Amino acid sequence: MRKLREKKKMTQSNVADAMGVTLRQYQRYEHGEQALSIEGWIFLADLYDVSLDYLVGRSDDPTRYGASAPEKEGPALEHSGL
């Protein structure tokens, strides 16, 4: 998660704000101290524009599947308090 965040030139605070969680909560996710909900994983995959499999380490290919991936709108990006 850290490498993807840094690649997007985002701070932990930026991502925490986007997710609707506190900075400390996000830090726990990034450091593996607390489990992230499936909604949280989906949010981060959308934010970083990578597949879920890549994000969770199941694939070396960051490509999102489906040529017509939905725009970054909808429920995955509208929730808060993950």
Side-chain angles (χ1 to χ4, degrees), residues 25-76:
Q25 185 68 45
Y26 176 76
Q27 289 170 334
R28 288 183 184 115
Y29 296 146
E30 191 171 286
H31 295 173
E33 296 170 5
Q34 185 164 352
L36 193 55
S37 69
I38 187 63
E39 294 86 3
W41 287 113
I42 291 168
F43 180 89
L44 291 176
D46 288 346
L47 181 68
Y48 298 137
D49 196 28
V50 296
S51 70
L52 280 171
D53 280 348
Y54 180 80
L55 188 60
V56 299
R58 290 177 38 123
S59 172
D60 292 333
D61 181 5
T63 306
R64 296 176 72 172
Y65 301 104
S68 60
E71 293 296 318
K72 291 183 174 48
E73 297 176 6

Side-chain angles (χ1 to χ4, degrees), residues 3-35:
K3 288 180 182 180
L4 288 169
R5 176 179 54 78
E6 290 174 345
K7 184 177 179 181
K8 290 284 186 178
K9 302 201 183 305
M10 297 180 79
T11 65
Q12 289 180 332
S13 186
N14 296 144
V15 179
D17 288 345
M19 292 179 76
V21 298
T22 66
L23 173 59
R24 183 62 189 130
Q25 185 68 45
Y26 176 76
Q27 289 170 334
R28 288 183 184 115
Y29 296 146
E30 191 171 286
H31 295 173
E33 296 170 5
Q34 185 164 352

